[in-house]
Amino acid sequence: MYIILMYDIMMDKTGAKVQRNTFKICKRYLTHIQNSVFEGNLTELNLMKLKKELSEYIRKEQDSFIIFNSRDEKWLTKEFLGKEDDKTSNFF
Amino acid sequence: MYIILMYDIMMDKTGAKVQRNTFKICKRYLTHIQNSVFEGNLTELNLMKLKKELSEYIRKEQDSFIIFNSRDEKWLTKEFLGKEDDKTSNFF
């Protein structure tokens, strides 16, 4: 399955900690392609593990994570306008 | 075609103007679902128009726009973790 994950974390007093931890978790499973966006191929099992780990930090009323799931990468094309982000970005 | 568009704009002295203008353009074609993320169905013609309008503002070295394109919405599932963003957000 091809996954595109994006998040919007409320930067209140605990927001920075949530962002740091969720970023690290996402980087273990997916490729960081833009500020708060990750992509990559995942098995069903790894997607479940990723969601479980993230849910320990995500705050129901403050943070928004969206996961788009395409059964196969070949059904998705990706195009850049402007600069192309370096895949090995070390945001943190 | 089902489109997911996300952007990362460098907030230097002209960044705010780029964000304001590109946001307005995206809102005319797509639905705003998260901080810098839009989605929606577009014809090939409208996608070309959207990209043309955006390219007038996007700065090659500072701003990153990514457009994922799925031939059909049914090949994509979308899942929320945490809060579900209100579709009619009036960010600006």
Side-chain angles (χ1 to χ4, degrees), chain A:
Chain A
M1 303 183 298
Y2 203 77
I3 302 296
I4 308 165
L5 178 150
M6 56 210 67
Y7 58 72
D8 189 8
I9 295 169
M10 183 180 282
M11 294 313 279
D12 54 13
K13 59 184 178 353
T14 54
K17 190 178 160 227
V18 171
Q19 184 168 40
R20 217 176 19 252
N21 287 299
T22 52
F23 182 85
K24 276 185 218 158
I25 293 168
C26 289
K27 276 210 98 174
R28 271 193 282 116
Y29 289 88
L30 298 167
T31 303
H32 182 233
I33 57 168
Q34 202 182 63
N35 190 11
S36 53
V37 182
F38 289 80
E39 67 169 349
N41 265 303
L42 282 187
T43 62
E44 200 122 5
L45 179 62
N46 278 337
L47 178 58
M48 266 168 34
K49 283 184 188 169
L50 169 62
K51 287 192 290 189
K52 190 167 172 299
E53 289 188 50
L54 288 174
S55 56
E56 280 164 39
Y57 294 99
I58 295 172
R59 300 160 304 170
K60 279 254 168 290
E61 296 314 315
Q62 290 102 315
D63 307 323
S64 161
F65 279 64
I66 303 175
I67 297 175
F68 283 97
N69 181 341
S70 171
R71 260 170 285 165
D72 195 315
E73 186 173 359
K74 69 174 187 285
W75 294 343
L76 265 178
T77 60
K78 181 169 78 169
E79 192 180 352
F80 283 92
L81 303 179
K83 73 179 173 138
E84 233 175 272
D85 265 313
D86 171 10
K87 281 267 171 343
T88 56
S89 88
N90 33 34
F91 194 70
F92 277 95

